[in-house]
Amino acid sequence: MDFSEGYVSNEHRELHRSASESADPLSVTPLQLSTKSTRSPKSTRSPKSPRSPKSPRSPKVEGKCSNLSPKNHRPSYSQKDGRPKKGGSGGKGTWGGLLDTDDSNVIDPNDPNYDSTEEHDHSNEKKPTTELEDYKKKATVIVEEYFATDDVVATMNEVKELGKPEYGYYFVKKLVSMSMDRHDKEKEMAAILLSALYADILDPSQVYKGFGKLVESADDLIVDIPDTVEVLALFIARAVVDDILPPAFLKKQMAHLPKDSKGVEVLKKTEKSYLAAPLHAEIIERCWGGSKNTTVDDVKAKINNFLKEYVVSGDKKEAFRCIKDLKVPFFHHEIVKRALIMAMERRQAESPLLDLLKEAAEEGFINSSQMTKGFDRLIDTVDDLSLDIPNARGILQQLMSKAASEGWLCVSCLKSLSVEPEKNTIEDSTANSFKVKTQSIIKEYFLSGDILEVNSCLEQENSNNCAALNAIFVKKLITLAMDRKNREKEMASVLLSSLCFPADDVVSGFVMLIESADDTALDNPVVVEDLAMFLARAVIDEVLAPQHLEEIGTHFLGQDSVGGKVLQMTRSLLKARLAGERILRCWGGGGSSRPGWAVEDVKDMIGKLLEEYESGGDIREACRCMKELGMPFFHHEVVKKALVTTIEKKNERLWGLLKECYESGLITMNQMVKGFGRVAESLDDLALDVPDAKNQFAYYVERAKANGWLDNSFCFGKQEQATENGTR
């Protein structure tokens, strides 16, 4: 070391030389000493002289030489920082840093402790963890960007480009959990994005698993989000309503969770507070108000409206413009579903609607995945649809075949439309035994009139509710009644409406009756008239729907066949004025236990019922009284009187009663149409007492259409609207 500059005593030189020779270079922390003078050129004071206040002092050096005592160590006054480079982790003769954070270290095969399996296992364990962590980071960024931009299409593309479909469940969990701690806007955006991603980009099993993970982590989420139970329950309910989560999810998940966990609370609240509530679908869809003031319900209404306009006008360009204006490409499956349902309900509209879907697929307005998803949703609900559309399964199969033959539907991508479950087949011996017992049951009923006893006997003899045996009972009941007097015919009709057999079983019974009509005619020459009256009575009693006549007609083609004659006469009876009252009293009315109500008596009772409710009566009591009348075919009188009273008194209390009756199924749409039609016919007379009657009626018609009571095609300006007897 150079001590040429400055003053250093001989004693200090000797001490420094001894320390340098005896020090171990590997055990000494590097110490950077100034190669220049230990004093500033401007400072000429000796080590023992007083320190000048203007003389700067360099920072203290932490390192020490091993053989130098603190007393002998003199701090440097140089302007240089005497601390070691790289924090003491580098330089010659050092051990390196205390902690090595570099991941580049590799296992050395020459190490005595080297294990070949350790290297293999280490690499395999680290890879998937790294992939998942990378996916999590990218998913978080995508969700943040989506909440900032509200661009569904762009987000869908980003998720698709992200790949890794096996981690889709994490995206679901992240999207929902991040939105739970934000405003309603973000919650609605998350629900819409999930619906858009479902099936197209995210596999249904991944969506299912994602919600399962959310339920399992409810106990952790509630630490940061106090209302986790309410919000997560609403998300699950929304997923069920949007058809991206099966209702069975609730029970299956509950079976795997601890009873005292928050996840169980979430599932119970979903089921009891949301999905079990009346009109739950509308409430859940509007719970967050929509991301752009447009709810799912609003979009469905727009789709329904432009499809109806297209059926009337046939303008495809206008229909495609409406599809573009919706700006919901992820929701185009709803267009497919509603178009197919409309084609099934209105067979005359089938051809134009299928042409619209075909061209929409070919022009790219509706992509193949949305087309498939729309058909799949309809396949899932075909059993429920069969309640309103007879032979819905068969019609849907025809539509699928036609679409596939024209090349705009891939049938192999669809869910399987299983053949309609075969009705319970029975052996001949079982059927013969049941016929014998049925005959004795019916004869006893004609003597006693005890409907409860008949129900009890049928439960014993047909405990499995076999459809074939139900049809046999219907056939036997009407066959025995046709050979007797009007009293027994009336009793047979009353019993048929009291048994609540499935409509398909009753249809099968009438088909069997008509098939055997030629043999029956040998003993009963007026069999066609009797069968037509029984069939019309079944429609009036709402045992069968008017559409079931068409289903029966498919078994008997030709006007000259017995079936054709029966159906023709049935339709004539139903079209006659005051058909309901006439058919009800064709055999004396009243069934087996009472003489029957006179029409005027019924009208009087309905009037008193409405007056009592309007003056503050209980809505449940009013509904109970309507049921006790036992005349569902005459409920159009309730609609008429309630509507007239509402217009006259401008009091909407009775409107609330109509709403409750419709929602509970007490008053059907058919009866609503009849009631509104009868008011439309008497508007001119009503306007004499209420000048603005027509304006009020028009207002209530629009409200009824909005509530789903009336079809949008209802127009009270036409005279051919529903008449008093109820057919149009």
Side-chain angles (χ1 to χ4, degrees):
M1 183 174 290
D2 185 9
F3 293 103
S4 62
E5 295 184 15
Y7 172 77
V8 180
S9 64
N10 293 330
E11 182 182 358
H12 285 143
R13 291 174 183 271
E14 184 64 24
L15 287 172
H16 183 270
R17 185 182 64 78
S18 300
S20 300
E21 291 176 355
S22 61
D24 183 2
L26 295 179
S27 65
V28 178
T29 303
L31 188 63
Q32 184 175 357
L33 298 176
S34 174
T35 59
K36 296 183 184 275
S37 173
T38 58
R39 291 177 296 167
S40 172
K42 294 182 180 180
S43 177
T44 59
R45 64 182 176 83
S46 67
K48 296 183 180 179
S49 66
R51 186 183 305 135
S52 172
K54 295 182 180 179
S55 176
R57 181 177 180 179
S58 64
K60 288 185 178 181
V61 180
E62 300 295 334
K64 297 177 183 178
C65 294
S66 60
N67 292 339
L68 288 177
S69 66
K71 294 181 180 179
N72 295 330
H73 173 64
R74 182 179 180 184
S76 172
Y77 291 92
S78 171
Q79 292 284 353
K80 282 191 175 183
D81 187 353
R83 287 176 294 182
K85 294 181 179 179
K86 303 180 183 178
S89 300
K92 184 177 181 181
T94 63
W95 287 97
L98 295 176
L99 295 175
D100 190 356
T101 58
D102 189 5
D103 290 337
S104 62
N105 293 338
V106 295
I107 299 175
D108 186 4
N110 298 323
D111 192 326
N113 297 322
Y114 170 73
D115 183 1
S116 60
T117 60
E118 181 181 352
E119 182 177 12
H120 179 71
D121 294 342
H122 183 268
S123 61
N124 284 347
E125 290 174 1
K126 193 169 182 180
K127 185 175 180 181
T129 305
T130 305
E131 287 183 355
L132 180 57
E133 290 301 324
D134 185 52
Y135 184 92
K136 288 181 178 180
K137 293 177 183 178
K138 292 180 180 179
T140 303
V141 173
I142 291 174
V143 174
E144 291 284 3
E145 289 181 356
Y146 171 61
F147 287 153
T149 62
D150 195 10
D151 191 337
V152 176
V153 177
T155 306
M156 290 174 65
N157 292 333
E158 289 178 0
V159 176
K160 189 174 182 179
E161 292 173 359
L162 184 58
K164 306 296 181 185
E166 66 274 16
Y167 296 142
Y169 71 90
Y170 179 79
F171 187 87
V172 175
K173 179 183 177 182
K174 194 66 178 177
L175 175 63
V176 175
S177 60
M178 288 179 66
S179 67
M180 287 172 63
D181 200 23
R182 303 191 181 215
H183 298 294
D184 286 351
K185 175 187 175 183
E186 285 79 7
K187 294 183 178 73
E188 179 67 20
M189 289 169 63
I192 291 176
L193 181 60
L194 283 176
S195 180
L197 296 172
Y198 180 77
D200 295 335
I201 297 175
L202 292 180
D203 189 83
S205 62
Q206 291 295 314
V207 176
Y208 189 101
K209 183 178 179 180
F211 275 98
K213 294 288 185 182
L214 282 165
V215 174
E216 292 172 2
S217 61
D219 293 292
D220 298 328
L221 290 172
I222 203 168
V223 176
D224 299 319
I225 309 172
D227 57 348
T228 291
V229 174
E230 291 76 11
V231 178
L232 185 53
L234 199 48
F235 261 111
I236 295 174
R238 176 64 179 268
V240 173
V241 170
D242 288 344
D243 292 329
I244 65 174
L245 202 62
F249 171 85
L250 304 178
K251 292 183 179 179
K252 290 182 178 179
Q253 287 296 316
M254 203 174 296
H256 300 295
L257 294 172
K259 293 184 179 179
D260 57 345
S261 67
K262 291 296 180 183
V264 172
E265 289 186 33
V266 170
L267 296 174
K268 288 182 178 179
K269 188 169 187 66
T270 303
E271 184 175 9
K272 295 180 180 179
S273 300
Y274 296 120
L275 295 179
L279 301 175
H280 66 273
E282 295 181 6
I283 296 173
I284 292 170
E285 286 172 352
R286 294 180 179 273
C287 61
W288 295 314
S291 60
K292 294 180 179 178
N293 297 323
T294 302
T295 63
V296 175
D297 199 36
D298 294 333
V299 176
K300 289 181 178 180
K302 291 179 181 178
I303 292 172
N304 202 46
N305 289 336
F306 86 69
L307 286 176
K308 289 182 177 179
E309 290 177 3
Y310 167 72
V311 170
V312 175
S313 65
D315 189 348
K316 292 181 182 177
K317 291 184 178 179
E318 178 64 18
F320 293 150
R321 185 191 65 78
C322 292
I323 293 176
K324 283 185 177 180
D325 290 345
L326 288 175
K327 296 181 180 179
V328 285
F330 56 88
F331 203 57
H332 284 171
H333 56 80
E334 183 70 18
I335 299 175
V336 179
K337 178 184 174 183
R338 289 184 176 266
L340 292 173
I341 292 176
M342 193 175 293
M344 295 168 70
E345 289 177 338
R346 307 176 183 181
R347 300 311 301 275
Q348 68 275 11
E350 176 183 323
S351 181
L353 286 170
L354 289 182
D355 288 342
L356 176 68
L357 292 179
K358 177 183 177 182
E359 190 164 335
E362 293 174 347
E363 298 295 330
F365 290 102
I366 301 177
N367 61 40
S368 59
S369 63
Q370 291 292 309
M371 191 70 71
T372 301
K373 189 174 179 180
F375 272 91
D376 280 341
R377 289 183 60 198
L378 198 57
I379 290 172
D380 291 338
T381 60
V382 69
D383 291 330
D384 295 333
L385 202 60
S386 298
L387 300 176
D388 300 318
I389 305 175
N391 196 28
R393 189 181 296 270
I395 297 174
L396 179 57
Q397 185 65 60
Q398 294 175 3
L399 297 180
M400 289 167 54
S401 300
K402 186 173 182 180
S405 64
E406 293 177 352
W408 53 275
L409 178 66
C410 178
V411 178
S412 61
C413 299
L414 296 176
K415 296 179 181 178
S416 61
L417 179 61
S418 56
V419 181
E420 187 174 4
E422 294 184 2
K423 298 182 179 179
N424 298 337
T425 56
I426 53 174
E427 298 179 357
D428 292 339
S429 58
T430 304
N432 292 333
S433 175
F434 182 77
K435 288 178 182 178
V436 173
K437 295 177 180 178
T438 294
Q439 186 163 348
S440 63
I441 292 172
I442 295 172
K443 287 181 177 179
E444 288 181 9
Y445 166 67
F446 286 156
L447 294 174
S448 65
D450 191 344
I451 296 177
L452 295 178
E453 180 65 22
V454 176
N455 275 319
S456 177
C457 293
L458 284 177
E459 288 178 0
Q460 294 178 1
E461 301 299 334
N462 187 15
S463 57
N464 295 328
N465 196 27
C466 175
L469 296 183
N470 287 341
I472 290 174
F473 184 87
V474 172
K475 177 187 176 183
K476 199 68 176 177
L477 173 65
I478 296 177
T479 300
L480 291 175
M482 285 193 300
D483 199 27
R484 295 174 181 252
K485 297 181 180 179
N486 286 347
R487 175 181 175 273
E488 284 77 11
K489 294 175 183 176
E490 177 67 22
M491 291 175 68
S493 292
V494 171
L495 178 60
L496 190 59
S497 62
S498 302
L499 291 176
C500 299
F501 281 162
D504 290 341
D505 298 352
V506 179
V507 168
S508 299
F510 274 101
V511 170
M512 293 166 63
L513 279 166
I514 296 175
E515 287 175 345
S516 61
D518 290 329
D519 297 333
T520 308
L522 299 176
D523 301 319
N524 182 8
V526 291
V527 64
V528 173
E529 291 81 356
D530 282 349
L531 283 177
M533 189 61 75
F534 270 110
L535 194 53
R537 177 63 180 269
V539 174
I540 292 296
D541 288 342
E542 298 191 351
V543 175
L544 297 177
Q547 294 92 331
H548 287 114
L549 298 179
E550 303 298 330
E551 183 177 352
I552 294 173
T554 59
H555 294 82
F556 308 100
L557 301 177
Q559 295 292 330
D560 295 332
S561 64
V562 175
K565 293 178 180 178
V566 170
L567 291 173
Q568 184 178 5
M569 184 172 290
T570 301
R571 294 189 182 98
S572 298
L573 290 170
L574 292 172
K575 287 180 181 179
R577 186 170 179 78
L578 300 175
E581 292 82 346
R582 291 179 177 178
I583 294 173
L584 177 70
R585 302 180 64 80
C586 63
W587 293 309
S592 60
S593 58
R594 54 186 173 84
W597 300 109
V599 174
E600 294 303 323
D601 293 339
V602 175
K603 290 183 178 180
D604 185 54
M605 285 188 288
I606 291 174
K608 291 179 180 179
L609 181 154
L610 295 177
E611 288 177 8
E612 182 179 347
Y613 174 72
E614 186 186 15
S615 61
D618 181 54
I619 194 168
R620 293 183 180 178
E621 180 66 17
C623 292
R624 185 186 64 80
C625 292
M626 288 176 59
K627 288 180 181 178
E628 288 184 351
L629 285 176
M631 302 178 72
F633 59 86
F634 203 58
H635 284 169
H636 56 78
E637 180 70 18
V638 178
V639 178
K640 176 191 173 185
K641 285 185 177 293
L643 196 54
V644 169
T645 303
T646 300
I647 293 174
E648 289 178 342
K649 299 184 178 181
K650 294 181 172 61
N651 182 355
E652 294 196 355
R653 181 171 171 78
L654 290 176
W655 184 266
L657 176 62
L658 291 180
K659 181 180 179 182
E660 176 66 23
C661 291
Y662 181 80
E663 291 176 353
S664 64
L666 189 58
I667 297 180
T668 63
M669 180 183 287
N670 190 32
Q671 294 295 314
M672 280 287 185
V673 173
K674 295 178 186 179
F676 273 83
R678 291 181 60 194
V679 175
E681 291 176 350
S682 61
L683 268 181
D684 292 334
D685 295 335
L686 188 60
L688 299 176
D689 300 321
V690 185
D692 63 340
K694 292 185 178 180
N695 292 334
Q696 285 195 63
F697 181 68
Y699 167 73
Y700 286 117
V701 167
E702 293 304 318
R703 283 186 62 180
K705 289 180 179 179
N707 292 337
W709 303 356
L710 299 176
D711 190 86
N712 285 337
S713 61
F714 181 90
C715 180
F716 63 88
K718 298 180 180 181
Q719 294 299 321
E720 63 267 22
Q721 281 299 323
T723 59
E724 189 174 346
N725 62 64
T727 56
R728 297 176 62 187

